[in-house]
Amino acid sequence: METGSNIEESMITSLMPYKYAFTWVINNFSNWRVNVEGKIQRSKQFPSGTDDKFKWVLKFNPQSQKDKNFCSLFLFLISKKGSQDKVFPQVELKMENSNGETIRQKSLKHGFFVQHGRGFNKWIRTDKLLEAIKDDDQLVIKCKILVEEVINSEVIRKHLPKPLVSSLSKDYNTLVDGQKFGDVTILIDGHRFLAYKGILAARSAVFAAMFDHQMQETIQNCVTISDVEPNVFKELLRYIYTDELTSLGTMAHALYKAADKYAMPTLKSRCRCHILEKLNWETAAETLVLAELHSDQEMKKHALRFLSGSEAGKATESGGWKNMVRTHPYLVDEMVKALAACRIAEADK
């Protein structure tokens, strides 16, 4: 190492993405299906450019060779440039009607050799397909492909000094328990929090509206809050000042409610993600009620989906379930409908 030098070496490894999207529209599908007499039909090669690294083709048989009651759909890798023998793309195959409504959708995650294909001999029943496009007899086949290849760069050698890491978050964290310089006092159940109007208003539209009007709180520079616990408000302040959370694991539900009350969508989103990530049979019913109370359709959808799965029986033993039955009995009906829909969908597969 050179004397007096601050040397840093690094190597960058990158993925080179190749993305392809191809749409095959078949008009008058019923007549077309009869004319091709159950023979395999090929799409044009795609992409159509001369310099593209990969070439693909779709093969569609409206009368599968394995079962005449089904259609088959396959994707073939026709050619590729480079020495790699096998590629591992992420593939999405989809059929739609002319209104863009999905009829069938599947993903492929297998490796592809050149001149070999992957797909489904029994992609969809022919009668089900004909029923789905009966309005105008138009079938749309879509294919999306993502191939990522590793590209290594040369080692980069740096001699420049590094700047100090920002201390903004650490410095602002001292404001959470600070008792100097604040311009508004928050009173919660005997606890006093000295805060800063400008920061609160910048982070919350509710606080901004509160301080913008000549309310009694604005005149006295003192706000009393009765529906948020002190420890929850302290964590809320920490997020307002630093964008960080230290107690999300233990108070995600309470912080979610506070974020909704004070119109803080980013905090609400973080709480929602944590709640859904940790969703289990003990918390599913409680989460469903929380979503209902706060009109959170995304959270409600995930909670209903969970309660429609294998944990549904255990969930009925939880305290959250018993509370839901008592306070929101109509949610039980919604869960039963979701469960029934899930069973019907599984039976159709």
Side-chain angles (χ1 to χ4, degrees), residues 2-153:
E2 300 174 15
T3 304
S5 297
N6 183 8
I7 299 174
E8 176 184 323
E9 292 187 345
S10 61
M11 186 183 80
I12 300 176
T13 300
S14 303
L15 290 175
M16 179 67 71
Y18 297 88
K19 297 181 180 180
Y20 306 99
F22 181 76
T23 300
W24 184 1
V25 179
I26 304 175
N27 293 318
N28 302 316
F29 175 77
S30 299
N31 292 334
W32 177 86
R33 171 174 168 267
V34 174
N35 290 332
V36 300
E37 297 179 347
K39 296 179 182 178
I40 297 175
Q41 302 300 304
R42 295 165 54 101
S43 71
K44 297 291 185 180
Q45 288 189 20
F46 62 92
S48 58
T50 57
D51 296 328
D52 294 293
K53 185 167 185 176
F54 298 91
K55 292 289 184 182
W56 307 85
V57 69
L58 289 171
K59 294 187 179 181
F60 174 46
N61 191 341
Q63 190 176 70
S64 173
Q65 295 175 343
K66 296 291 185 180
D67 189 331
K68 293 183 179 181
N69 294 316
F70 283 81
C71 301
S72 64
L73 183 62
F74 286 83
L75 174 68
F76 277 74
L77 176 60
I78 302 302
S79 64
K80 69 176 294 293
K81 298 178 182 179
S83 59
Q84 189 177 2
D85 294 329
K86 193 174 185 180
V87 295
F88 295 86
Q90 299 177 33
V91 179
E92 179 186 275
L93 296 175
K94 181 192 290 188
M95 278 187 177
E96 298 178 350
N97 60 22
S98 59
N99 294 323
E101 298 168 339
T102 299
I103 303 171
R104 186 70 166 167
Q105 179 175 331
K106 286 284 188 178
S107 297
L108 293 172
K109 296 183 179 179
H110 303 288
F112 282 72
F113 290 101
V114 175
Q115 297 299 326
H116 286 78
R118 300 281 188 178
F120 305 91
N121 279 304
K122 298 173 69 173
W123 167 256
I124 188 173
R125 287 187 64 90
T126 305
D127 55 356
K128 186 175 180 180
L129 176 58
L130 292 172
E131 175 65 22
I133 62 172
K134 65 181 181 180
D135 290 343
D136 56 9
D137 206 23
Q138 183 185 82
L139 176 64
V140 180
I141 304 174
K142 291 186 176 182
C143 177
K144 292 183 179 180
I145 305 170
L146 171 62
V147 184
E148 294 183 311
E149 292 196 323
V150 177
I151 306 296
N152 291 334
S153 70

Side-chain angles (χ1 to χ4, degrees), residues 293-305:
L293 290 174
H294 294 272
S295 302
D296 191 329
Q297 295 304 312
E298 182 178 3
M299 180 185 284
K300 183 176 181 178
K301 177 184 68 175
H302 284 279
L304 283 173
R305 184 182 301 164

Side-chain angles (χ1 to χ4, degrees), residues 299-317:
M299 180 185 284
K300 183 176 181 178
K301 177 184 68 175
H302 284 279
L304 283 173
R305 184 182 301 164
F306 182 89
L307 287 167
S308 301
S310 58
E311 301 284 330
K314 294 175 64 177
T316 59
E317 303 172 7

